[in-house]
Amino acid sequence: MEYTADYFINDIYDLESSGMLSDLALSPSLFTHFITFDEGDRENALAYIISVLDECYKAGHLRIAISHNDLELYGYAMLFVHPDPKFPKYLHKIYVREEFRGHGIGEQILMSLAENEPKICLLCPSDKVAFYEKYGFHFAQPFEVPEDENFLLSEGLYSGLCVMNNHNEALGAPIFFLNDRDIKNIVGI
């Protein structure tokens, strides 16, 4: 049997939604909304994040590369894809399960993507720029949340990040991040 991302999708959704919720809870601008967060709120928030990811996946806007050994998922990469193929893919995340870290799995996933995808962009903290440069990426610009009323709550979540590309085209990429409507649905405000 060939195991594809579909086989592991629920596990990937669980890991990714938990990580995204943790990032939101640690945001200084959103911290107070999590003070009274109970288990029901957490379940609703995770379900909402999973629904967004699932909608993107089913529409073909989210692709997932996996590293596994038959039934055991080692790690994955999430790529967001614009419907127009001229735009680069956005590498949202490379994740390796804790028990498999330190064995080069994340590096293998990144190298495979860099070799097989001619146009990728990603966001990373400035202290990771040199790491991604080793794999053919270069600094494009600092990332800035759009100055738009739909991203007021998102601003602090993405500060200090850099846009990296493995290509030289000036086209923007479909960078996936949460807008205020999503954050309000997740946090319950």
Side-chain angles (χ1 to χ4, degrees), residues 166-179:
N166 70 343
H167 58 87
N168 292 318
E169 296 183 27
L171 292 171
I175 294 177
F176 174 84
F177 61 100
L178 300 169
N179 61 40

Side-chain angles (χ1 to χ4, degrees), residues 17-140:
S17 63
S18 292
M20 290 174 83
L21 187 59
S22 292
D23 290 346
L24 290 172
L26 294 174
S27 170
S29 63
L30 297 173
F31 180 77
T32 57
H33 297 290
F34 285 92
I35 292 173
T36 60
F37 223 62
D38 63 21
E39 189 57 34
D41 294 327
R42 184 178 188 284
E43 287 177 17
N44 289 337
L46 293 173
Y48 181 82
I49 295 168
I50 289 169
S51 74
V52 171
L53 294 172
D54 191 49
E55 180 180 328
C56 291
Y57 185 69
K58 287 179 177 172
H61 302 302
L62 171 60
R63 296 191 186 145
I64 300 174
I66 57 172
S67 175
H68 67 95
N69 180 11
D70 295 331
L71 299 174
E72 192 165 28
L73 178 68
Y74 297 156
Y76 60 88
M78 299 181 87
L79 288 158
F80 282 89
V81 181
H82 193 278
D84 186 337
K86 74 179 179 188
F87 287 96
K89 293 176 175 73
Y90 168 62
L91 177 56
H92 174 68
K93 163 107 32 115
I94 293 179
Y95 176 84
V96 177
R97 291 193 123 147
E98 192 169 335
E99 63 268 28
F100 301 113
R101 293 179 187 162
H103 300 285
I105 293 169
E107 181 179 25
Q108 289 172 357
I109 293 171
L110 181 60
M111 285 185 343
S112 177
L113 290 172
E115 290 172 5
N116 294 304
E117 296 290 346
K119 292 189 296 187
I120 298 176
C121 79
L122 58 88
L123 296 179
C124 70
S126 57
D127 65 339
K128 298 290 184 196
V129 168
F131 171 80
Y132 286 105
E133 287 176 336
K134 293 188 303 188
Y135 299 97
F137 288 85
H138 61 273
F139 174 83

